Amino acid sequence: MRTQVGIVGAGPAGLLLSHLLHLAGIDSVVVEVRSRADIEATIRAGVLEQGTVDLLSEIGVGERMKREGFLHHGIELRFAGRRHRIDLSALTGGKAIMVYAQHEVLKDLIQARLDTGGQIVFEAEGVSVYDLTSDVPTIRYRKDGEVVELHCDFIAGCDGSQGVCRPSIPPRLLNVYERHYPFGWFGILAAAPPSTEELIYNLHERGFALVSTRSRQIQRLYFQCDPKEDIADWPDARIWHELRTRLATPEGDWKLIEGPITQKGVIGMRSMVVEPMRHGRLFLAGDAAHIVPPTGAKGLNLAVSDVRVLADALSAFYRTKDEALLDGYSATCLRRIWKAQRFSWWMTSMLHRFPGSDAFQMRVQLAEFDYVTGSRAASTALAENYVGLPLAA
Ligand code: DHB
């Protein structure tokens, strides 16, 4: 089999790239190890930056998002019970974020690809990539017992942090920058109405908590936990008690609305970047090249900005045979990636309790809150990063 761009992975990066290439008249095949049902049911984050919302709308994949998603113009920061609203829109010239779950974005992208004749091979087995530095890099996999060789002009490695693409690059050619955090997030879905119209990022002596939403009936909440926490130790009543304790505030008559918990899971937290994001004719995008801790919800949005740059570079190549944008792909993406890494690391540090950190550290974190909420310059810095920096920033 032959295609112009072989894409490994049907996550946000792979599917969006495939659709952007289609709109530019470039052929692609997406090869994915998981099933469509599995992809469409996996619970991930749910905050889309303004630029992500604009892009999905522009390419005709934003209709359901606009109908069912929630446009938020601000967030609440809550530190030791003190509440402060960051007015994202006022501070960024009208930008906002959309709360719309990642797996809903994936459903929309899969539908868009299938509606326009796109090829997605689900449940491919034994996927491997080779001849990466030749003119015909190849993806090999098994489907229904048959071995398929997909010969490509280019391969996009969009197969996440556990995928096969990054490990196919000789390790001596990659620099890996990594940081592990000594905590995780305990995430739940609860069948309850929203407790808040905007997201609450909360710091308490017992640790971080986040109140987010999915719909008028389903809420998404997280709290900082041990990375090895066993969900069996957390019956519903204990979870609600922990969340109530951390979110308690004497300001206003705010109350956490509880309900049956329908899903529980622990999310690890780390930062990782590989440089460069290219080897021969293999280009890494999204989680295959970088991981951010979830605070600030940059993961999906970074995948989107990577593939925007890659789609433009590939289009330029097919139009003019000019490789300059492909040659610049890694450096262009990394500038934005490192800014998102900085922001995610900063939000994480400001909002979490580190094991062994003392009362001095907590005072510094409270001072940071005072500064971020009291200074227009500092609030603006948070807001412009939160809604998303421009593509070429
Ligand atoms: C959500 C996840 C995040 O990491 C975040 O910063 C905000 C919201 C969410 O899943 O809703």
Side-chain angles (χ1 to χ4, degrees):
M1 240 176 35
R2 164 108 220 155
T3 189
Q4 289 177 297
V5 181
I7 299 175
V8 186
L15 291 167
L16 180 61
L17 178 64
S18 176
H19 202 57
L20 291 172
L21 292 176
H22 161 72
L23 296 173
I26 300 164
D27 241 25
S28 69
V29 176
V30 180
V31 178
E32 166 63 52
V33 293
R34 289 172 302 159
S35 69
R36 180 175 178 183
D38 190 17
I39 290 170
E40 293 188 346
T42 306
I43 307 293
R44 304 290 287 272
V47 174
L48 309 183
E49 293 176 351
Q50 180 74 58
T52 302
V53 172
D54 292 345
L55 179 69
L56 293 175
S57 305
E58 260 164 55
I59 63 173
V61 191
E63 232 166 77
R64 200 164 65 89
M65 168 190 75
K66 281 197 215 139
R67 230 179 24 246
E68 297 177 15
F70 296 89
L71 196 62
H72 285 196
H73 296 280
I75 55 171
E76 178 175 331
L77 292 183
R78 189 178 291 186
F79 271 53
R82 286 166 55 205
R83 307 174 64 182
H84 185 90
R85 178 168 190 263
I86 301 284
D87 190 334
L88 298 172
S89 296
L91 293 164
T92 60
K95 293 185 182 163
I97 53 119
M98 179 77 82
V99 180
Y100 187 61
Q102 175 165 325
H103 66 279
E104 302 296 345
V105 176
L106 292 178
K107 283 185 202 168
D108 298 343
L109 284 168
I110 289 171
Q111 198 56 54
R113 284 317 293 128
L114 298 180
D115 288 348
T116 48
Q119 276 197 74
I120 311 171
V121 181
F122 293 105
E123 297 175 78
E125 291 176 83
V127 178
S128 62
V129 293
Y130 60 100
D131 291 346
L132 302 174
T133 53
S134 78
D135 286 346
V136 192
T138 297
I139 304 175
R140 182 189 289 153
Y141 59 93
R142 274 193 321 280
K143 179 70 188 169
D144 303 325
E146 305 235 328
V147 174
V148 181
E149 301 230 310
L150 178 60
H151 301 293
C152 316
D153 298 337
F154 299 97
I155 296 178
C158 303
D159 53 346
S161 61
Q162 308 299 318
V164 300
C165 288
R166 193 181 66 241
S168 303
I169 303 175
R172 71 192 150 77
L173 299 180
L174 283 185
N175 289 307
V176 182
Y177 302 90
E178 207 170 9
R179 171 159 300 183
H180 287 262
Y181 299 88
F183 38 73
W185 278 11
F186 199 112
I188 64 164
L189 285 174
S195 306
T196 168
E197 289 304 317
E198 294 179 339
L199 270 56
I200 303 172
Y201 286 87
N202 181 87
L203 175 66
H204 181 270
E205 279 189 7
R206 294 181 60 81
F208 173 71
L210 169 60
V211 185
S212 182
T213 186
R214 286 294 178 268
S215 68
R216 299 311 295 178
Q217 297 83 29
I218 298 174
Q219 308 316 314
R220 180 80 168 137
L221 297 101
Y222 303 93
F223 60 93
Q224 176 183 349
C225 65
D226 189 289
K228 296 200 182 68
E229 202 75 64
D230 184 353
I231 56 174
D233 292 336
W234 286 87
D236 292 14
R238 184 177 176 208
I239 292 174
W240 288 119
H241 182 263
E242 190 64 39
L243 284 166
R244 271 198 314 273
T245 306
R246 294 193 192 186
L247 289 157
T249 174
E251 296 182 11
D253 56 359
W254 188 83
K255 194 166 175 300
L256 181 64
I257 303 176
E258 302 175 16
I261 297 176
T262 55
Q263 206 251 355
K264 301 176 190 177
V266 173
I267 302 158
M269 311 241 319
R270 68 187 174 113
S271 307
M272 189 275 294
V273 180
V274 298
E275 297 184 3
M277 292 165 60
R278 171 189 190 173
H279 174 59
R281 288 185 164 233
L282 169 69
F283 292 82
L284 301 177
D287 282 7
H290 42 76
I291 297 292
V292 286
T295 332
K298 291 291 169 222
L300 166 105
N301 295 292
L302 276 184
V304 169
S305 49
D306 286 355
V307 299
R308 266 185 110 142
V309 175
L310 187 53
D312 281 349
L314 289 165
S315 307
F317 172 81
Y318 282 110
R319 271 197 323 271
T320 64
K321 294 283 168 235
D322 184 353
E323 298 198 21
L325 291 183
L326 286 172
D327 290 341
Y329 168 74
S330 182
T332 303
C333 289
L334 284 165
R335 286 186 66 200
R336 190 171 192 279
I337 289 161
W338 275 112
K339 291 196 190 82
Q341 286 288 2
R342 184 209 67 83
F343 179 67
S344 305
W345 162 84
W346 173 73
M347 286 279 277
T348 301
S349 309
M350 175 171 72
L351 286 158
H352 290 73
R353 295 287 281 154
F354 284 71
S357 83
D358 53 9
F360 180 90
Q361 186 58 34
M362 185 69 180
R363 284 284 188 279
V364 170
Q365 285 172 257
L366 293 173
E368 180 116 42
F369 167 73
D370 242 354
Y371 177 56
V372 165
T373 57
S375 150
R376 188 173 172 92
S379 300
T380 304
L382 189 157
E384 70 180 358
N385 280 277
Y386 195 83
V387 302
L389 294 174
L391 204 53

